[in-house]
Amino acid sequence: MINGVKFSEGELVHFFNKLKIATTFPESIWILAYTLILVLGVTIGVSVTAWLERKVSAGVQQRIGPEYAGPLGIIQPLADGIKLLLKEDVIPARGNARLFTIGPAVVVIPVFITFLVIPFGQHIILSDLGIGVFFWIAISSIVPLGILMAGYGSNNKYSFLGGLRAAAQSISYEIPLASCVLSISLLSGSLSTVDIVETQSKYGFLGWNLWRQPIGFTAFFISSLAECERLPFDLPEAEEELVAGYQTEYSGIKFGLFYVGSHLNLLVSSLFVAVLYLGGWNSSIPFFESFRQDFSTSNGSGGSFSMLSPVLEVITTLSKSYLFLFISILTRRTLPRVRMDQLLDLGWKFLPPIAPGNLLLTASFQIILIN
């Protein structure tokens, strides 16, 4: 028995070493600390996103928006979260309680996992995977399964129809989304998110993939809105047609988890737009790095500037991502909702020829440059 236990421990350590997982206690503590910091930052980011959406929507519609809960209503998302925590959690009598409970978790957890491969700075990333962008696409594909589980477990035909619409919509727009990501990877020569940003940093503002891939950026913008189920593509939860879609039977914190997942997905898409098309953490000012080196050499303050550099990188990345998020909110309050047949026509007839065509054009130019 003792030999069997020793053999199992040896195999486990060998397995961890093979996967390059830290087995020492201090490294494990640091990994836990980094994870907790990321979760705390993501939670604050979701609260800011919810507050910003309400204030921008109110400004577009000439309303005041939240203003009583804290200065400018900044505590309103926290108040809403506490309210949902205190509400009664109701499960349909004839529904599938297991699927009904697991559904919201399946929606939220994959979106949290995608933050592992998002670089907020040159060295501010939890896991620099060689297939970072496709890791995001693969993990985000799990979210419609949670929505489908929630709709089926509710034992409600309206909820189930909303779940089916979510699955059809996600499948429709994943193909052009993957084609746009492949085009960026061809230009950068890597699937790593860090390598993609560093490739754009050579020429400053003019090196952004936004100028090199305008067609891909447009297709990515449309596909990301459809993936996040934002207007004009929020068919899975269209209130006028499906009561509240797959959320009809939910209440309390489970109902809140769907909105957390929706805002998280929008925040992830905004961050990936900043990473793939807007230069990530690099400043938009050309030749900024040479100016920084000259400033550090002349003033002898290179140490303090290097300590301030990670903060500036995070601020730059978040500024670009929230700019895209601002555009998404304006799009929601400007365009009307499309019909389901228009949604599928756009996803299957319009974008699939454009996004792969852009990919083939990019591949052709890369072959010409190599030769």
Coordinates of all heavy atoms in Angstrom, one line a residue, residues 130-223:
G130 N 0.8 30.1 -26.5 CA 1.2 30.2 -27.9 C -0.1 30.3 -28.8 O 0.0 30.7 -30.0
I131 N -1.2 29.8 -28.3 CA -2.5 29.9 -29.1 C -3.5 30.7 -28.3 O -4.7 30.4 -28.2 CB -3.0 28.4 -29.3 CG1 -3.1 27.7 -27.9 CG2 -2.1 27.7 -30.2 CD1 -3.9 26.4 -28.0
G132 N -3.1 31.9 -27.8 CA -3.9 32.7 -27.0 C -5.2 33.1 -27.6 O -6.3 33.0 -27.0
V133 N -5.2 33.6 -28.8 CA -6.4 34.1 -29.5 C -7.4 33.0 -29.7 O -8.6 33.1 -29.6 CB -6.1 34.9 -30.7 CG1 -5.5 36.2 -30.4 CG2 -5.1 34.1 -31.6
F134 N -6.9 31.8 -30.1 CA -7.8 30.7 -30.4 C -8.3 30.1 -29.0 O -9.3 29.4 -29.0 CB -7.1 29.6 -31.2 CG -7.3 29.9 -32.7 CD1 -6.3 30.4 -33.5 CD2 -8.5 29.7 -33.3 CE1 -6.5 30.6 -34.8 CE2 -8.7 29.9 -34.6 CZ -7.7 30.4 -35.4
F135 N -7.5 30.2 -28.0 CA -8.0 29.8 -26.7 C -9.2 30.6 -26.3 O -10.2 30.1 -25.7 CB -6.9 30.1 -25.6 CG -7.2 29.7 -24.2 CD1 -7.2 28.4 -23.8 CD2 -7.6 30.8 -23.4 CE1 -7.6 28.1 -22.5 CE2 -8.0 30.5 -22.0 CZ -8.0 29.2 -21.6
W136 N -9.2 31.9 -26.6 CA -10.4 32.8 -26.3 C -11.6 32.3 -27.1 O -12.7 32.2 -26.6 CB -10.1 34.2 -26.7 CG -11.3 35.1 -26.8 CD1 -12.2 35.3 -25.9 CD2 -11.6 35.9 -27.9 NE1 -13.2 36.1 -26.3 CE2 -12.8 36.6 -27.6 CE3 -11.0 36.2 -29.1 CZ2 -13.5 37.5 -28.4 CZ3 -11.6 37.1 -30.0 CH2 -12.8 37.7 -29.6
I137 N -11.4 32.0 -28.4 CA -12.5 31.6 -29.3 C -13.1 30.2 -28.8 O -14.3 30.0 -28.7 CB -12.1 31.5 -30.7 CG1 -11.7 32.9 -31.3 CG2 -13.1 30.8 -31.6 CD1 -11.2 32.9 -32.7
A138 N -12.2 29.3 -28.4 CA -12.6 28.0 -28.0 C -13.4 28.1 -26.6 O -14.4 27.5 -26.5 CB -11.4 27.1 -27.8
I139 N -12.9 28.9 -25.7 CA -13.5 29.0 -24.4 C -14.9 29.7 -24.5 O -15.9 29.3 -23.9 CB -12.6 29.7 -23.4 CG1 -11.4 28.8 -23.1 CG2 -13.3 29.9 -22.1 CD1 -11.7 27.5 -22.5
S140 N -14.9 30.8 -25.3 CA -16.1 31.5 -25.5 C -17.2 30.7 -26.1 O -18.4 31.0 -26.0 CB -15.9 32.8 -26.2 OG -15.4 32.5 -27.6
S141 N -16.9 29.7 -26.9 CA -17.9 28.8 -27.5 C -18.7 28.0 -26.5 O -19.7 27.4 -26.9 CB -17.2 27.9 -28.5 OG -16.5 28.6 -29.5
I142 N -18.2 27.9 -25.3 CA -18.9 27.1 -24.2 C -20.1 27.9 -23.7 O -21.1 27.3 -23.3 CB -18.0 26.8 -23.1 CG1 -16.7 26.0 -23.6 CG2 -18.6 26.0 -22.0 CD1 -15.7 25.7 -22.6
V143 N -20.1 29.2 -23.8 CA -21.2 30.1 -23.2 C -22.5 29.7 -23.8 O -23.5 29.6 -23.0 CB -20.8 31.5 -23.4 CG1 -22.0 32.4 -22.9 CG2 -19.5 31.9 -22.7
P144 N -22.8 29.6 -25.1 CA -24.1 29.2 -25.6 C -24.6 27.9 -25.0 O -25.8 27.7 -24.9 CB -23.9 29.1 -27.1 CG -22.8 30.0 -27.4 CD -21.8 29.8 -26.2
L145 N -23.7 27.0 -24.7 CA -24.2 25.7 -24.0 C -24.8 26.0 -22.7 O -25.9 25.4 -22.4 CB -23.0 24.7 -23.9 CG -22.3 24.3 -25.1 CD1 -21.1 23.4 -24.8 CD2 -23.3 23.5 -26.0
G146 N -24.3 26.9 -21.9 CA -24.9 27.3 -20.6 C -26.2 27.9 -20.9 O -27.2 27.7 -20.1
I147 N -26.4 28.8 -21.9 CA -27.6 29.4 -22.2 C -28.7 28.4 -22.6 O -29.8 28.4 -22.2 CB -27.4 30.5 -23.3 CG1 -26.5 31.6 -22.7 CG2 -28.8 31.0 -23.7 CD1 -26.2 32.6 -23.8
L148 N -28.2 27.4 -23.4 CA -29.1 26.3 -23.8 C -29.6 25.5 -22.7 O -30.7 25.1 -22.6 CB -28.4 25.5 -24.9 CG -29.3 24.5 -25.7 CD1 -30.4 25.3 -26.5 CD2 -28.5 23.7 -26.7
M149 N -28.6 25.2 -21.8 CA -29.0 24.4 -20.5 C -30.0 25.2 -19.7 O -30.9 24.6 -19.1 CB -27.7 24.1 -19.7 CG -26.8 23.2 -20.4 SD -25.1 23.2 -19.7 CE -25.5 22.7 -18.0
A150 N -29.8 26.5 -19.6 CA -30.7 27.3 -18.8 C -32.1 27.3 -19.4 O -33.1 27.2 -18.7 CB -30.2 28.7 -18.7
G151 N -32.2 27.5 -20.7 CA -33.5 27.5 -21.4 C -34.2 26.1 -21.3 O -35.4 26.1 -21.1
Y152 N -33.4 25.0 -21.5 CA -34.0 23.7 -21.4 C -34.4 23.3 -20.0 O -35.5 22.8 -19.8 CB -33.1 22.7 -22.0 CG -33.6 21.3 -22.0 CD1 -34.5 20.9 -23.0 CD2 -33.3 20.3 -21.0 CE1 -35.0 19.6 -23.0 CE2 -33.8 19.1 -21.0 CZ -34.6 18.7 -22.0 OH -35.1 17.4 -22.0
G153 N -33.6 23.7 -19.0 CA -33.9 23.4 -17.6 C -35.1 24.1 -17.0 O -35.6 23.8 -16.0
S154 N -35.5 25.3 -17.7 CA -36.6 26.1 -17.1 C -37.9 25.5 -17.4 O -38.9 25.9 -16.8 CB -36.5 27.5 -17.8 OG -35.3 28.1 -17.5
N155 N -38.0 24.5 -18.3 CA -39.3 23.9 -18.7 C -40.3 24.9 -19.1 O -41.4 25.0 -18.7 CB -39.9 23.1 -17.5 CG -41.0 22.2 -17.9 OD1 -41.1 21.8 -19.1 ND2 -41.9 21.9 -17.0
N156 N -39.8 25.8 -20.0 CA -40.6 26.9 -20.5 C -40.3 27.1 -22.0 O -39.1 27.2 -22.4 CB -40.2 28.2 -19.8 CG -41.1 29.4 -20.2 OD1 -41.5 29.5 -21.3 ND2 -41.4 30.2 -19.2
K157 N -41.3 27.1 -22.8 CA -41.0 27.1 -24.3 C -40.4 28.4 -24.7 O -39.6 28.4 -25.7 CB -42.3 26.8 -25.0 CG -43.4 27.8 -24.8 CD -44.7 27.5 -25.5 CE -45.8 28.5 -25.3 NZ -47.1 28.1 -26.0
Y158 N -40.7 29.5 -24.1 CA -40.1 30.8 -24.4 C -38.6 30.8 -24.1 O -37.8 31.2 -24.8 CB -40.8 31.9 -23.7 CG -42.3 32.1 -24.1 CD1 -43.3 31.7 -23.2 CD2 -42.7 32.5 -25.3 CE1 -44.6 31.8 -23.5 CE2 -44.0 32.7 -25.7 CZ -45.0 32.3 -24.8 OH -46.3 32.4 -25.1
S159 N -38.3 30.2 -22.9 CA -36.9 30.1 -22.5 C -36.1 29.2 -23.4 O -35.0 29.5 -23.8 CB -36.8 29.6 -21.0 OG -37.5 30.5 -20.2
F160 N -36.7 28.1 -23.8 CA -36.0 27.1 -24.6 C -35.8 27.7 -26.0 O -34.8 27.5 -26.6 CB -36.9 25.8 -24.7 CG -36.2 24.7 -25.5 CD1 -34.9 24.3 -25.1 CD2 -36.8 24.1 -26.5 CE1 -34.2 23.3 -25.8 CE2 -36.2 23.1 -27.2 CZ -34.9 22.7 -26.9
L161 N -36.8 28.5 -26.5 CA -36.7 29.1 -27.8 C -35.5 30.2 -27.8 O -34.8 30.3 -28.7 CB -38.0 29.8 -28.2 CG -38.0 30.4 -29.6 CD1 -37.7 29.4 -30.7 CD2 -39.4 31.0 -29.9
G162 N -35.4 30.9 -26.7 CA -34.4 31.9 -26.5 C -33.0 31.2 -26.5 O -32.0 31.7 -27.0
G163 N -32.9 30.0 -25.8 CA -31.7 29.3 -25.8 C -31.3 28.8 -27.2 O -30.1 28.8 -27.6
L164 N -32.2 28.3 -27.9 CA -32.0 27.8 -29.3 C -31.5 29.0 -30.2 O -30.6 28.8 -31.0 CB -33.2 27.2 -29.9 CG -33.6 25.8 -29.3 CD1 -34.9 25.4 -29.9 CD2 -32.5 24.8 -29.6
R165 N -32.1 30.1 -30.0 CA -31.7 31.3 -30.8 C -30.2 31.7 -30.4 O -29.4 32.1 -31.3 CB -32.6 32.5 -30.5 CG -33.9 32.4 -31.2 CD -34.7 33.7 -31.1 NE -35.9 33.6 -31.9 CZ -36.6 34.7 -32.2 NH1 -36.2 35.9 -31.9 NH2 -37.7 34.6 -32.9
A166 N -29.9 31.6 -29.2 CA -28.5 31.9 -28.7 C -27.5 31.0 -29.4 O -26.4 31.4 -29.8 CB -28.4 31.9 -27.2
A167 N -27.8 29.7 -29.4 CA -26.9 28.7 -30.0 C -26.8 28.9 -31.5 O -25.6 28.9 -32.0 CB -27.4 27.3 -29.7
A168 N -27.9 29.2 -32.2 CA -27.8 29.5 -33.6 C -27.0 30.7 -33.9 O -26.2 30.8 -34.9 CB -29.2 29.6 -34.2
Q169 N -27.2 31.8 -33.1 CA -26.5 33.0 -33.3 C -25.0 32.9 -33.1 O -24.2 33.4 -33.9 CB -27.1 34.1 -32.4 CG -26.4 35.4 -32.5 CD -27.2 36.5 -31.7 OE1 -28.4 36.4 -31.6 NE2 -26.5 37.4 -31.1
S170 N -24.6 32.1 -32.1 CA -23.2 31.9 -31.8 C -22.5 31.2 -32.9 O -21.4 31.5 -33.3 CB -23.0 31.2 -30.4 OG -21.7 31.0 -30.2
I171 N -23.1 30.1 -33.3 CA -22.5 29.3 -34.4 C -22.4 30.1 -35.7 O -21.4 30.0 -36.4 CB -23.4 28.0 -34.6 CG1 -23.3 27.1 -33.4 CG2 -22.9 27.3 -35.9 CD1 -24.3 25.9 -33.5
S172 N -23.4 31.0 -35.9 CA -23.3 31.8 -37.2 C -22.1 32.7 -37.2 O -21.6 32.9 -38.3 CB -24.6 32.6 -37.3 OG -25.8 31.7 -37.3
Y173 N -21.8 33.3 -36.1 CA -20.8 34.4 -36.1 C -19.4 33.9 -35.6 O -18.5 34.8 -35.5 CB -21.3 35.5 -35.2 CG -22.4 36.3 -35.9 CD1 -23.7 35.9 -35.8 CD2 -22.1 37.4 -36.8 CE1 -24.7 36.6 -36.4 CE2 -23.1 38.0 -37.4 CZ -24.4 37.7 -37.3 OH -25.4 38.3 -37.9
E174 N -19.3 32.7 -35.2 CA -17.9 32.2 -34.8 C -17.0 32.0 -36.0 O -15.8 32.2 -35.9 CB -18.0 30.9 -34.0 CG -18.4 31.1 -32.6 CD -18.5 29.8 -31.8 OE1 -18.3 28.8 -32.5 OE2 -18.8 29.8 -30.6
I175 N -17.6 31.7 -37.2 CA -16.8 31.4 -38.4 C -16.1 32.7 -38.8 O -14.9 32.8 -39.0 CB -17.6 30.8 -39.5 CG1 -18.2 29.4 -39.0 CG2 -16.8 30.6 -40.7 CD1 -19.1 28.7 -39.9
P176 N -16.9 33.8 -39.1 CA -16.2 35.0 -39.5 C -15.2 35.6 -38.4 O -14.2 36.2 -38.7 CB -17.3 36.0 -39.8 CG -18.5 35.4 -39.1 CD -18.3 34.0 -39.1
L177 N -15.6 35.4 -37.1 CA -14.7 35.8 -36.0 C -13.4 35.1 -36.1 O -12.3 35.7 -35.9 CB -15.4 35.6 -34.7 CG -14.8 36.3 -33.5 CD1 -15.1 37.8 -33.6 CD2 -15.4 35.8 -32.2
A178 N -13.4 33.8 -36.3 CA -12.2 33.0 -36.4 C -11.4 33.4 -37.6 O -10.1 33.5 -37.5 CB -12.5 31.5 -36.4
S179 N -12.0 33.7 -38.7 CA -11.3 34.1 -39.9 C -10.6 35.5 -39.7 O -9.5 35.7 -40.2 CB -12.3 34.3 -41.1 OG -12.9 33.0 -41.3
C180 N -11.2 36.4 -39.0 CA -10.6 37.7 -38.7 C -9.4 37.5 -37.8 O -8.3 38.1 -38.0 CB -11.6 38.6 -38.0 SG -13.0 39.1 -39.1
V181 N -9.5 36.6 -36.8 CA -8.4 36.4 -35.9 C -7.2 35.7 -36.7 O -6.0 36.0 -36.4 CB -8.8 35.5 -34.7 CG1 -7.6 35.0 -33.9 CG2 -9.8 36.3 -33.8
L182 N -7.5 34.8 -37.6 CA -6.5 34.2 -38.4 C -5.8 35.2 -39.3 O -4.5 35.1 -39.5 CB -7.1 33.1 -39.3 CG -7.1 31.7 -38.8 CD1 -7.9 30.8 -39.7 CD2 -5.7 31.2 -38.5
S183 N -6.5 36.2 -39.8 CA -5.8 37.2 -40.6 C -4.8 38.0 -39.8 O -3.7 38.3 -40.2 CB -6.9 38.2 -41.2 OG -7.8 37.5 -42.0
I184 N -5.2 38.4 -38.5 CA -4.3 39.1 -37.6 C -3.1 38.2 -37.3 O -1.9 38.6 -37.3 CB -5.0 39.5 -36.4 CG1 -6.1 40.5 -36.7 CG2 -4.0 40.1 -35.4 CD1 -5.7 41.7 -37.3
S185 N -3.3 36.9 -37.1 CA -2.2 36.0 -36.8 C -1.2 35.8 -38.0 O 0.0 35.7 -37.8 CB -2.8 34.6 -36.4 OG -3.6 34.7 -35.3
L186 N -1.7 35.9 -39.2 CA -0.9 35.8 -40.4 C 0.0 37.1 -40.5 O 1.2 37.0 -40.8 CB -1.7 35.7 -41.6 CG -2.2 34.3 -42.0 CD1 -3.1 34.3 -43.2 CD2 -1.0 33.4 -42.3
L187 N -0.5 38.2 -40.1 CA 0.2 39.5 -40.2 C 1.3 39.5 -39.1 O 2.4 40.0 -39.3 CB -0.7 40.7 -40.0 CG -1.6 41.0 -41.2 CD1 -2.4 42.2 -40.8 CD2 -0.7 41.4 -42.4
S188 N 1.0 38.9 -37.9 CA 1.9 38.9 -36.8 C 2.8 37.7 -36.8 O 3.9 37.7 -36.1 CB 1.1 39.0 -35.5 OG 0.2 40.0 -35.5
G189 N 2.5 36.7 -37.5 CA 3.3 35.4 -37.5 C 3.2 34.7 -36.2 O 4.1 33.9 -35.9
S190 N 2.2 34.9 -35.4 CA 2.0 34.2 -34.1 C 0.6 34.3 -33.7 O -0.2 35.2 -34.1 CB 2.9 34.8 -33.1 OG 2.7 34.3 -31.8
L191 N 0.2 33.3 -32.8 CA -1.2 33.3 -32.2 C -1.1 33.8 -30.8 O -2.2 33.9 -30.1 CB -1.7 31.9 -32.2 CG -2.1 31.3 -33.6 CD1 -2.5 29.8 -33.4 CD2 -3.3 32.0 -34.2
S192 N 0.0 34.2 -30.3 CA 0.2 34.7 -29.0 C -0.3 36.2 -29.0 O 0.0 37.0 -29.8 CB 1.6 34.7 -28.5 OG 1.8 35.4 -27.3
T193 N -1.1 36.5 -27.9 CA -1.6 37.9 -27.8 C -0.4 38.9 -27.6 O -0.5 40.0 -28.1 CB -2.6 38.0 -26.7 OG1 -2.0 37.4 -25.5 CG2 -3.9 37.2 -27.1
V194 N 0.6 38.5 -26.9 CA 1.7 39.4 -26.6 C 2.5 39.6 -27.9 O 2.9 40.8 -28.2 CB 2.6 38.8 -25.5 CG1 3.9 39.6 -25.3 CG2 1.9 38.6 -24.2
D195 N 2.7 38.6 -28.7 CA 3.4 38.8 -30.0 C 2.7 39.7 -30.9 O 3.2 40.5 -31.7 CB 3.7 37.4 -30.6 CG 4.7 36.6 -29.8 OD1 5.4 37.2 -29.0 OD2 4.7 35.4 -30.0
I196 N 1.3 39.6 -30.9 CA 0.5 40.4 -31.8 C 0.6 41.9 -31.4 O 0.7 42.7 -32.3 CB -1.0 39.9 -31.7 CG1 -1.1 38.5 -32.4 CG2 -1.9 40.9 -32.4 CD1 -2.5 37.9 -32.2
V197 N 0.7 42.2 -30.2 CA 0.8 43.6 -29.7 C 2.2 44.1 -30.1 O 2.4 45.2 -30.5 CB 0.5 43.7 -28.2 CG1 0.8 45.1 -27.7 CG2 -0.9 43.3 -27.9
E198 N 3.2 43.3 -29.8 CA 4.6 43.7 -30.1 C 4.9 43.9 -31.6 O 5.7 44.8 -32.0 CB 5.6 42.7 -29.5 CG 5.6 42.7 -28.0 CD 6.6 41.7 -27.4 OE1 7.0 40.8 -28.2 OE2 6.9 41.7 -26.2
T199 N 4.2 43.2 -32.4 CA 4.3 43.4 -33.9 C 3.8 44.7 -34.3 O 4.3 45.4 -35.2 CB 3.6 42.3 -34.6 OG1 4.1 41.0 -34.2 CG2 3.8 42.4 -36.1
Q200 N 2.7 45.2 -33.6 CA 2.1 46.5 -34.0 C 2.9 47.7 -33.4 O 2.7 48.8 -33.8 CB 0.7 46.5 -33.4 CG -0.2 45.5 -34.0 CD -1.6 45.6 -33.3 OE1 -2.4 46.5 -33.5 NE2 -1.9 44.6 -32.5
S201 N 3.8 47.4 -32.5 CA 4.5 48.5 -31.8 C 5.7 49.1 -32.5 O 6.3 50.0 -32.1 CB 5.0 48.0 -30.4 OG 6.0 47.0 -30.6
K202 N 6.0 48.6 -33.7 CA 7.2 49.0 -34.4 C 7.0 50.4 -35.0 O 8.0 51.2 -35.1 CB 7.5 48.0 -35.6 CG 7.9 46.6 -35.0 CD 8.2 45.7 -36.2 CE 8.5 44.3 -35.7 NZ 8.7 43.3 -36.8
Y203 N 5.8 50.8 -35.4 CA 5.6 52.0 -36.1 C 4.6 52.9 -35.4 O 4.0 53.8 -36.0 CB 5.1 51.8 -37.5 CG 6.0 50.9 -38.3 CD1 5.6 49.6 -38.5 CD2 7.2 51.3 -38.8 CE1 6.5 48.7 -39.2 CE2 8.1 50.5 -39.5 CZ 7.7 49.2 -39.7 OH 8.5 48.3 -40.4
G204 N 4.3 52.6 -34.1 CA 3.4 53.5 -33.3 C 2.0 53.4 -33.8 O 1.5 52.3 -34.1
F205 N 1.4 54.6 -33.9 CA 0.0 54.7 -34.3 C -0.2 54.1 -35.7 O -1.3 53.5 -36.0 CB -0.4 56.2 -34.3 CG -1.8 56.4 -34.7 CD1 -2.9 56.1 -34.0 CD2 -2.0 57.0 -36.0 CE1 -4.2 56.4 -34.4 CE2 -3.3 57.3 -36.4 CZ -4.4 56.9 -35.6
L206 N 0.7 54.3 -36.6 CA 0.6 53.8 -38.0 C 0.7 52.3 -38.1 O 0.4 51.7 -39.2 CB 1.6 54.5 -38.9 CG 1.5 56.0 -38.9 CD1 2.6 56.6 -39.8 CD2 0.1 56.4 -39.5
G207 N 1.2 51.6 -37.1 CA 1.4 50.2 -37.1 C 0.2 49.4 -36.6 O 0.3 48.1 -36.6
W208 N -0.8 50.0 -36.2 CA -2.0 49.3 -35.7 C -2.6 48.5 -36.9 O -2.6 48.9 -38.0 CB -3.1 50.3 -35.3 CG -2.7 51.0 -34.0 CD1 -1.6 50.8 -33.2 CD2 -3.5 51.9 -33.3 NE1 -1.6 51.5 -32.1 CE2 -2.8 52.3 -32.1 CE3 -4.8 52.5 -33.5 CZ2 -3.3 53.2 -31.2 CZ3 -5.2 53.4 -32.6 CH2 -4.5 53.7 -31.4
N209 N -3.1 47.3 -36.5 CA -3.8 46.4 -37.5 C -5.1 47.0 -37.9 O -5.7 46.5 -38.9 CB -4.0 45.1 -36.8 CG -2.8 44.3 -36.7 OD1 -1.8 44.4 -37.5 ND2 -2.7 43.4 -35.7
L210 N -5.6 48.1 -37.3 CA -6.8 48.7 -37.7 C -6.7 49.3 -39.1 O -7.6 49.2 -39.9 CB -7.2 49.8 -36.7 CG -8.4 50.8 -37.1 CD1 -9.7 50.0 -37.2 CD2 -8.5 51.9 -36.2
W211 N -5.5 49.8 -39.4 CA -5.2 50.4 -40.8 C -4.8 49.3 -41.8 O -5.1 49.5 -43.0 CB -4.1 51.4 -40.7 CG -4.2 52.3 -39.5 CD1 -3.3 52.5 -38.5 CD2 -5.3 53.2 -39.2 NE1 -3.8 53.4 -37.6 CE2 -5.0 53.8 -38.0 CE3 -6.6 53.4 -39.8 CZ2 -5.9 54.7 -37.3 CZ3 -7.4 54.3 -39.2 CH2 -7.1 55.0 -38.0
R212 N -4.3 48.2 -41.3 CA -3.8 47.1 -42.2 C -5.0 46.2 -42.5 O -4.9 45.4 -43.5 CB -2.7 46.4 -41.6 CG -1.5 47.3 -41.2 CD -0.6 46.6 -40.3 NE 0.2 45.6 -40.9 CZ 1.0 44.8 -40.2 NH1 1.1 44.9 -38.9 NH2 1.7 43.8 -40.8
Q213 N -6.0 46.1 -41.6 CA -7.1 45.2 -41.8 C -8.4 45.9 -41.5 O -9.2 45.6 -40.6 CB -7.0 44.1 -40.7 CG -5.9 43.1 -41.0 CD -6.2 42.1 -42.1 OE1 -7.3 41.5 -42.1 NE2 -5.3 41.9 -43.0
P214 N -8.8 46.9 -42.4 CA -10.1 47.6 -42.1 C -11.3 46.7 -42.4 O -12.3 46.8 -41.6 CB -10.0 48.8 -43.1 CG -9.0 48.3 -44.2 CD -8.0 47.4 -43.5
I215 N -11.2 45.8 -43.4 CA -12.3 44.9 -43.6 C -12.5 43.9 -42.5 O -13.6 43.6 -42.0 CB -12.1 44.2 -45.0 CG1 -12.0 45.2 -46.1 CG2 -13.3 43.2 -45.2 CD1 -11.7 44.6 -47.5
G216 N -11.3 43.4 -42.0 CA -11.4 42.4 -40.9 C -11.9 43.1 -39.6 O -12.6 42.5 -38.9
F217 N -11.5 44.4 -39.4 CA -12.0 45.1 -38.2 C -13.5 45.2 -38.2 O -14.2 45.1 -37.2 CB -11.3 46.4 -38.1 CG -11.8 47.3 -37.0 CD1 -11.4 47.0 -35.7 CD2 -12.7 48.3 -37.2 CE1 -11.9 47.7 -34.6 CE2 -13.1 49.1 -36.2 CZ -12.8 48.8 -34.9
T218 N -14.0 45.6 -39.4 CA -15.5 45.7 -39.5 C -16.2 44.4 -39.3 O -17.2 44.4 -38.5 CB -15.8 46.3 -40.9 OG1 -15.1 47.5 -41.2 CG2 -17.3 46.5 -41.0
A219 N -15.7 43.3 -39.9 CA -16.3 42.0 -39.6 C -16.1 41.6 -38.2 O -17.1 41.0 -37.6 CB -15.7 41.0 -40.6
F220 N -15.0 41.9 -37.6 CA -14.8 41.5 -36.2 C -15.7 42.3 -35.3 O -16.2 41.8 -34.3 CB -13.3 41.8 -35.8 CG -12.9 41.3 -34.5 CD1 -12.4 40.0 -34.3 CD2 -13.1 42.1 -33.3 CE1 -12.0 39.5 -33.1 CE2 -12.7 41.6 -32.1 CZ -12.2 40.3 -31.9
F221 N -15.9 43.6 -35.6 CA -16.8 44.4 -34.8 C -18.2 43.9 -34.8 O -18.9 43.7 -33.8 CB -16.8 45.9 -35.3 CG -17.7 46.8 -34.6 CD1 -17.5 47.2 -33.3 CD2 -18.9 47.2 -35.3 CE1 -18.4 48.1 -32.7 CE2 -19.8 48.1 -34.6 CZ -19.5 48.5 -33.4
I222 N -18.7 43.5 -36.0 CA -20.1 43.0 -36.1 C -20.2 41.6 -35.4 O -21.2 41.4 -34.7 CB -20.5 42.9 -37.6 CG1 -20.5 44.3 -38.2 CG2 -21.8 42.2 -37.8 CD1 -20.7 44.3 -39.7
S223 N -19.2 40.8 -35.6 CA -19.3 39.4 -35.0 C -19.2 39.5 -33.5 O -19.8 38.7 -32.8 CB -18.1 38.6 -35.6 OG -18.2 38.5 -37.0

